[in-house]
Amino acid sequence: MKKSLALLVLAAFAGTATAAEVVGNPKAAPSKIEMCIGCHGIPGYKAAFPEVYRVPMIGGQSAKYIEAALHAYKKGDRKHPSMRGIAASLSDQDIADVAAYYAQQTPATAKR
């Protein structure tokens, strides 16, 4: 009984450690943001698919917010066909890197 409880506790901590290992590296992001710039890097840009809407600038947003949004698109919790396809192509490390990259920006330094 004690042995199986100890293994269960170790397994729980191992899962937590794995999730905590993904740390965003903004220097690894430039090759990963090419998909983002076309819409999110144009001030006042409006997309026409699936309907006309204003595309938000993401430079300067919180990394946690960007990560949560990308994971929600990836899982299908947020509904946008283009963003879902893009997010689905990203690994957890890619998402963390992209979020770290955009979080370090200010509106004045946002990638255009």
Side-chain angles (χ1 to χ4, degrees):
M1 178 75 169
K2 286 183 182 181
K3 187 175 182 178
S4 61
L5 180 60
L7 289 174
L8 182 62
V9 170
L10 285 174
F13 280 115
T16 303
T18 302
E21 290 174 12
V22 179
V23 175
N25 177 2
K27 291 182 180 178
S31 65
K32 301 172 185 181
I33 62 162
E34 293 161 345
M35 299 179 278
C36 310
I37 295 169
C39 297
H40 293 284
I42 303 171
Y45 182 71
K46 292 182 181 175
F49 180 79
E51 60 190 47
V52 177
Y53 65 95
R54 188 181 149 292
V55 176
M57 297 296 289
I58 55 177
Q61 289 281 357
S62 155
K64 288 184 185 235
Y65 172 78
I66 295 171
E67 284 185 45
L70 287 171
H71 284 294
Y73 282 119
K74 189 172 185 171
K75 289 191 301 190
D77 293 341
R78 280 190 172 197
K79 309 291 183 204
H80 188 278
S82 299
M83 284 301 303
R84 172 148 179 151
I86 290 168
S89 74
L90 300 172
S91 69
D92 288 347
Q93 185 64 59
D94 293 338
I95 289 173
D97 294 344
V98 167
Y101 177 85
Y102 279 108
Q104 73 177 7
Q105 294 183 346
T106 65
T109 64
K111 183 82 169 179
R112 300 216 190 297

